[in-house]
Amino acid sequence: MNWINILIQGGLLGGFYALFAIGLSMSFGIMRLVNIAHGDLIVLAAYVGMVATWYTGLDPFLSLVIVVPVMFALGYTLQRGLLNQTLSGGLLPPLLVTFGISIIIQNGLLQGFGAYDHRLQEGAIETASLRLPGGLSIGVYPLVVFAVALFAIASLQLLFYRTRLGRAFRAVSDDSDTAELMGIDNRKLYALALGIAMIFTAIAGVLFGIRTIFAPSAGPIRLILAFEAVIIGGLGSMWGTLIGGMVLGVAQAIGAAVDPTWQILAGHLAFLAILIVRPSGLFPRTRD
Amino acid sequence: MTLLRTQNLSAFYGDFQALFDINVTVEQGETVAIIGANGAGKTTFLRAVAGAIESAPEMVVFDGQPIGNKTPHEIVRLGIAMVPEGRRLFPSLSVEENLLLGTHSERTGYWNLKRVYELFPRLYDLRHLPAPSLSGGQQQMAAVGRGLMSNPRLLLCDELSLGLAPVVIRDIYQCLGAVIAEGTTVVLVEQDINRALDASARFFCFQEGHLALTAPVKDFDRAAITAAYFGV
């Protein structure tokens, strides 16, 4: 029974990691941009949420009506004004530039808010749980986060496979030169893509801030977890990213059950093991 | 009426000059073939017209408007569509999605999905398949269809016959006849000289980046073409 509990808790945690990973997966999938600042952008979103709750008195969930447009605008501007300039010179320039953005965000947050830990307070839902038969209990909040991850991925799939914009995203991902010849303005499309990716980053950031304490230095760990979820799942597959997150979550839960200090390490070991057995991930570039 | 004019069009790949002072005109409604050996600059010429290679504004004039410095997506919107060499369909899109990509030019006109399927009935049955699962000839039809979906005034076709069986090539050129009859101006790049000349009223022969010969097809002299083609 204990093992079932571990699987469930780990699986739900995976939804959280998948949510971290969606923005990263999207920007890599569409513009081959490895966004080193992704983790810091998640943390930045949590801070934006915090400031929004200070000034408006909204609770953290509702602060998303402010955080989402702010992060969308930031993503759009960042891509249009800066990252588009780096994309023609191979893989290295975007890596270096996003690494720089990462340092700027961390230090900006440190300057503005200090090195203290912060939290977003959502109230009773944080500790509420559902009792299931057999002595299992499931936290309501992890369940909500998992549902949000499912909803986020499903809506992205709809966007990619049912809309004109999604078709353009896939075409640009396949062959950006030919897409340009068909009348697609790649630069504008990339800006939209990072904007949309940042919508999911905003949601991930606020949910992260409710779940746990955060500080300006919290970004890089989120980046690694997001990377691992994307790589385990296979590049370019959103549902794969969810599975990747769940593999990571379950491995961590098992590690923690063996010895609490093993939790993080167990996740990384699972990642390495999968990298050895299936270097291209579990579901590389599936059609949907 | 002159639809396309190039004035001393030169094009470079880095330090390498691929086109030297090309001066040609294409009249509205005519079909022109560009012939020449490998590396003569035929594809470079098409890419320069389509905006994939940047040139000075006045070097390419379309419908009286200088477009040499415009980006490819701006040029498609003005009405120049490219059927690229090797088809270049989007592999993760279905056939129909590939065709619909042509509508991103935001141009409307005679061509739509229904008309393209009437032109290439085989594509209708295959429309939900991924593009790479089609045969070479079917892919070429889809690539032409995708170009037509942008309702171009000028259609640039790069090596339509590349890697296809003679019977398939004949089919595709027959369909192209319907496109030309619709009033679309067509520039054909081909290595298969006879095929290209059959479909066109006029031809340009390129040789090592220079315009070696231009003449109406009916006046052409086999020996003159050979000389221009090989530079002997």
Side-chain angles (χ1 to χ4, degrees):
Chain A
M1 197 50 72
N2 193 26
W3 286 105
I4 295 177
N5 193 31
I6 288 170
L7 284 180
I8 292 176
Q9 309 298 349
L12 290 180
L13 185 61
F16 202 54
Y17 294 158
L19 214 45
F20 284 164
I22 290 173
L24 192 71
S25 182
M26 235 185 114
S27 48
F28 184 81
I30 295 172
M31 43 225 164
R32 303 290 179 270
L33 171 73
V34 179
N35 186 356
I36 299 291
H38 182 70
D40 303 290
L41 288 163
I42 292 173
V43 175
L44 178 66
Y47 275 97
V48 174
M50 185 178 76
V51 173
T53 58
W54 285 352
Y55 285 99
T56 62
L58 290 171
D59 83 12
F61 281 147
L62 287 178
S63 79
L64 281 171
V65 297
I66 296 168
V67 184
V68 165
V70 167
M71 294 303 281
F72 175 87
L74 178 66
Y76 189 93
T77 318
L78 206 58
Q79 184 71 39
R80 191 98 215 211
L82 183 63
L83 295 173
N84 272 344
Q85 267 70 281
T86 68
L87 288 177
S88 50
L91 210 58
L92 201 55
L95 271 180
L96 292 176
V97 170
T98 54
F99 186 57
I101 295 171
S102 156
I103 292 172
I104 291 170
I105 293 175
Q106 284 184 36
N107 286 284
L109 290 175
L110 196 61
Q111 185 73 30
F113 300 94
Y116 316 109
D117 290 332
H118 290 278
R119 264 200 85 192
L120 298 173
Q121 308 282 347
E122 189 50 59
I125 192 176
E126 292 175 28
T127 49
S129 66
L130 295 172
R131 296 230 164 271
L132 296 186
L136 288 174
S137 85
I138 297 179
V140 172
Y141 188 67
L143 208 56
V144 167
V145 171
F146 191 81
V148 170
L150 281 183
F151 179 76
I153 293 174
S155 48
L156 260 184
Q157 291 296 101
L158 278 181
L159 171 74
F160 282 153
Y161 291 96
R162 292 278 178 275
T163 69
R164 183 179 161 84
L165 179 65
R167 195 165 61 221
F169 279 146
R170 283 184 295 143
V172 167
S173 168
D174 276 353
D175 183 344
S176 57
D177 290 344
T178 305
E180 182 89 21
L181 279 174
M182 296 302 134
I184 292 174
D185 183 348
N186 290 350
R187 291 171 171 268
K188 202 167 129 197
L189 202 72
Y190 287 157
L192 261 181
L194 194 63
I196 293 171
M198 292 286 266
I199 291 177
F200 296 97
T201 303
I203 296 170
V206 168
L207 293 182
F208 162 66
I210 295 170
R211 184 192 149 87
T212 175
I213 52 171
F214 55 90
S217 57
I221 299 291
R222 308 310 126 195
L223 174 70
I224 289 176
L225 291 170
F227 254 127
E228 291 183 346
V230 172
I231 302 290
I232 292 173
L235 286 170
S237 162
M238 287 289 169
W239 290 115
T241 298
L242 179 67
I243 303 292
M246 290 174 75
V247 167
L248 215 53
V250 168
Q252 288 191 354
I254 293 173
V258 174
D259 182 330
T261 60
W262 277 52
Q263 179 180 354
I264 302 295
L265 181 64
H268 295 327
L269 289 178
F271 167 68
L272 287 178
I274 285 171
L275 211 53
I276 290 167
V277 181
R278 290 186 66 115
S280 54
L282 299 174
F283 309 97
R285 200 96 188 142
T286 46
R287 257 182 70 77
D288 48 15
Chain B
M1 193 198 92
T2 301
L3 187 61
L4 177 77
R5 187 170 75 244
T6 64
Q7 304 176 128
N8 298 324
L9 174 63
S10 300
F12 297 83
Y13 292 109
D15 288 336
F16 173 73
Q17 187 164 5
L19 286 181
F20 298 84
D21 298 328
I22 303 292
N23 290 295
V24 294
T25 57
V26 177
E27 300 299 315
Q28 172 100 45
E30 78 170 335
T31 303
V32 180
I34 302 180
I35 58 175
N38 259 336
K42 309 184 296 291
T43 296
T44 307
F45 177 82
L46 291 194
R47 288 176 59 79
V49 171
I53 300 172
E54 204 177 322
S55 50
E58 301 290 340
M59 283 183 178
V60 185
V61 179
F62 179 67
D63 198 16
Q65 188 185 355
I67 60 164
N69 60 339
K70 289 194 186 299
T71 61
H73 72 261
E74 290 168 333
I75 289 176
V76 191
R77 282 171 163 72
L78 295 174
I80 301 182
M82 171 93 131
V83 181
E85 184 178 356
R87 276 84 75 175
R88 301 285 286 268
L89 295 176
F90 299 102
S92 66
L93 272 58
S94 70
V95 173
E96 183 155 300
E97 286 175 325
N98 266 286
L99 294 176
L100 287 170
L101 242 280
T103 64
H104 282 266
S105 67
E106 314 287 352
R107 291 176 61 85
T108 52
Y110 178 82
W111 295 103
N112 52 33
L113 267 185
K114 187 166 158 282
R115 292 244 163 80
V116 169
Y117 287 141
E118 282 167 8
L119 184 65
F120 302 114
R122 277 296 285 147
L123 291 184
Y124 182 77
D125 304 321
L126 305 166
R127 66 191 186 280
H128 295 308
L129 293 180
S133 63
L134 268 57
S135 73
Q138 291 159 349
Q139 288 192 25
Q140 190 58 271
M141 291 172 190
V144 172
R146 183 178 63 177
L148 291 175
M149 287 292 284
S150 72
N151 282 293
R153 299 178 64 192
L154 175 63
L155 185 68
L156 310 172
C157 299
D158 199 352
E159 304 269 5
L160 289 184
S161 64
L162 192 74
L164 301 181
V167 57
V168 177
I169 299 173
R170 199 196 59 211
D171 282 357
I172 286 176
Y173 271 88
Q174 236 161 34
C175 292
L176 201 63
V179 173
I180 294 165
E182 192 43 50
T184 311
T185 310
V186 178
V187 174
L188 290 171
V189 158
E190 274 294 350
Q191 297 217 17
D192 180 344
I193 300 181
N194 291 328
R195 178 60 63 192
L197 297 183
D198 278 353
S200 326
R202 215 150 57 86
F203 71 92
F204 311 143
C205 183
F206 282 23
Q207 189 211 318
E208 292 175 357
H210 297 271
L211 183 65
L213 178 66
T214 170
V217 169
K218 60 179 169 45
D219 305 340
F220 90 94
D221 172 327
R222 194 78 201 184
I225 288 191
T226 308
Y229 198 100
F230 295 108
V232 290

